[in-house]
């Protein structure tokens, strides 16, 4: 990879900014100063340093965000805040959310620039859990459990079997392996309940634990490998 591209993708500035850094003798490769922007970096063996600090190249990034209300699950919008606003320090990475949560839904969402993994995590084919806590406008009749668990006709599509649990008179936990448009709200609407609050408490095996609303963290290597393994990227 060209040295200027390498530095840009590591977050060291625009193409012209990193060219200046290189010209100013601030970059060394294997402890030799390099002043040529088109130097071809060997990603597996070269050690690139900026003022003696190693710059490690990483192609893909994976974050878990605890989404607050009021943010769109989109990369940009002309008039409304999006969850990418939390990641302005990483604007060079082309991040995007894995699937969508509605503007008024809170909770766990993965942000990445790894398209293949994202695609698999939202595909029903890999049965990845998406676990929601839905607060309803009235107490729930637990007889709807059976239909949630066998499948509900929404428009002209049948939902896949989901898991359903009543956790207090008007609060339910629903586990889906798919993500149709407004799915949880529409499943409850089918039985004349209105969802007044929706929170995703877990995505795959990733719970929010101590991650506060508005905060995000990088996934660990073990977590990334586990996501790749449940979606058959790592066999
Ligand atoms: N189902 C919904 O209705 N909304 C969400 O944000 C997620 C799942």
């Amino acid at each position: 990879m060209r040295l200027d591209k390498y530095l840009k993708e590591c977050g060291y500035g625009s193409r012209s900014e990193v060219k200046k850094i290189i010209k100013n003798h601030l970059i060394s490769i294997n402890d030799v100063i390099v002043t040529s922007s088109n130097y071809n970096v060997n990603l597996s063996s070269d050690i690139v340093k900026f003022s003696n600090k190693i710059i490690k190249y990483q192609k893909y990034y994976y974050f878990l965000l605890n989404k607050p209300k009021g943010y769109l699950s989109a990369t940009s919008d002309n008039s409304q805040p999006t969850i990418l606003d939390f990641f302005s320090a990483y604007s060079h990475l082309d991040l995007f959310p894995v699937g969508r949560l509605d503007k008024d839904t809170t909770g766990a969402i993965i942000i990445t620039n790894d398209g293949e993994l994202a695609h698999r995590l939202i595909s029903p084919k890999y049965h990845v859990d998406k676990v929601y806590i839905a607060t309803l406008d009235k107490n729930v009749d637990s007889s709807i459990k059976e239909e949630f668990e066998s499948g509900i006709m929404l428009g002209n599509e049948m939902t896949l079997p989901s898991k359903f649990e009543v956790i207090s008179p008007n609060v339910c936990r629903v586990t889906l392996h798919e993500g149709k448009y407004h799915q949880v709200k529409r499943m409850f609407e089918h039985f004349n309940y209105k969802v007044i609050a929706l929170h995703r408490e877990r995505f795959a095996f990733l719970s929010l634990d101590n991650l506060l609303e508005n905060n995000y963290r990088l996934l660990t290597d073990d977590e990334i490998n586990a996501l790749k393994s449940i979606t058959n990227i790592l066999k």
Side-chain angles (χ1 to χ4, degrees):
M1 178 184 295
R2 278 180 63 112
L3 179 58
D4 49 4
K5 183 164 192 268
Y6 183 100
L7 294 173
K8 180 173 176 278
E9 294 197 1
C10 289
Y12 279 77
S14 65
R15 197 74 164 230
S16 61
E17 285 163 345
V18 301
K19 276 179 195 271
K20 265 188 219 147
I21 295 175
I22 298 166
K23 279 248 153 63
N24 288 336
H25 294 74
L26 290 168
I27 302 296
S28 69
I29 296 181
N30 307 325
D31 290 327
V32 177
I33 296 288
V34 172
T35 53
S36 152
S37 293
N38 64 6
Y39 181 97
N40 191 14
V41 181
N42 182 329
L43 294 181
S44 51
S45 60
D46 281 342
I47 298 184
V48 182
K49 290 185 187 166
F50 171 75
S51 290
N52 264 345
K53 185 174 158 272
I54 294 184
I55 306 172
K56 209 165 163 277
Y57 179 75
Q58 191 180 329
K59 184 164 186 194
Y60 294 125
Y61 284 76
Y62 308 85
F63 300 92
L64 178 67
L65 169 72
N66 187 348
K67 178 192 175 296
K69 276 188 182 181
Y71 286 78
L72 297 179
S73 296
T75 49
S76 65
D77 191 86
N78 286 339
S79 56
Q80 303 192 63
T82 77
I83 55 179
L84 262 295
D85 294 350
F86 292 103
F87 295 89
S88 51
Y90 299 92
S91 57
H92 57 287
L93 290 179
D94 296 328
L95 296 169
F96 54 85
V98 175
R100 282 168 191 273
L101 291 177
D102 296 336
K103 187 177 172 188
D104 59 352
T105 300
T106 57
I109 186 159
I110 294 178
I111 311 291
T112 186
N113 54 355
D114 180 345
E116 185 185 5
L117 181 63
H119 177 73
R120 289 180 183 224
L121 288 170
I122 55 180
S123 163
K125 192 169 154 193
Y126 299 100
H127 303 282
V128 176
D129 283 353
K130 285 98 190 172
V131 185
Y132 297 92
I133 302 293
T135 306
L136 309 177
D137 60 337
K138 52 184 182 267
N139 292 351
V140 68
D141 180 339
S142 56
S143 65
I144 67 172
K145 175 179 167 76
E146 215 172 293
E147 287 185 72
F148 265 74
E149 296 194 338
S150 55
I152 296 168
M153 202 65 186
L154 295 182
N156 53 6
E157 279 184 304
M158 195 74 173
T159 62
L160 293 173
S162 56
K163 276 189 231 152
F164 183 91
E165 199 187 329
V166 177
I167 52 182
S168 75
N170 71 328
V171 181
C172 305
R173 178 178 287 115
V174 180
T175 303
L176 304 182
H177 296 137
E178 58 182 339
K180 298 187 194 307
Y181 182 66
H182 295 328
Q183 183 163 344
V184 175
K185 292 173 185 166
R186 286 164 66 220
M187 288 170 91
F188 280 104
E189 254 164 40
H190 182 84
F191 300 100
N192 291 318
Y193 295 97
K194 190 170 166 14
V195 173
I196 57 171
L198 188 60
H199 175 75
R200 186 155 69 191
E201 66 172 8
R202 178 159 66 81
F203 185 102
F205 50 82
L206 295 166
S207 301
L208 292 165
D209 299 323
N210 300 325
L211 191 65
L212 299 175
E213 209 167 78
N214 296 317
N215 283 259
Y216 61 81
R217 68 168 176 87
L218 278 166
L219 298 189
T220 64
D221 287 346
D222 284 349
E223 288 170 333
I224 296 163
N225 287 336
L227 290 176
K228 288 183 177 174
S229 141
I230 60 174
T231 54
N232 286 353
I233 294 176
L234 288 183
K235 299 239 168 81

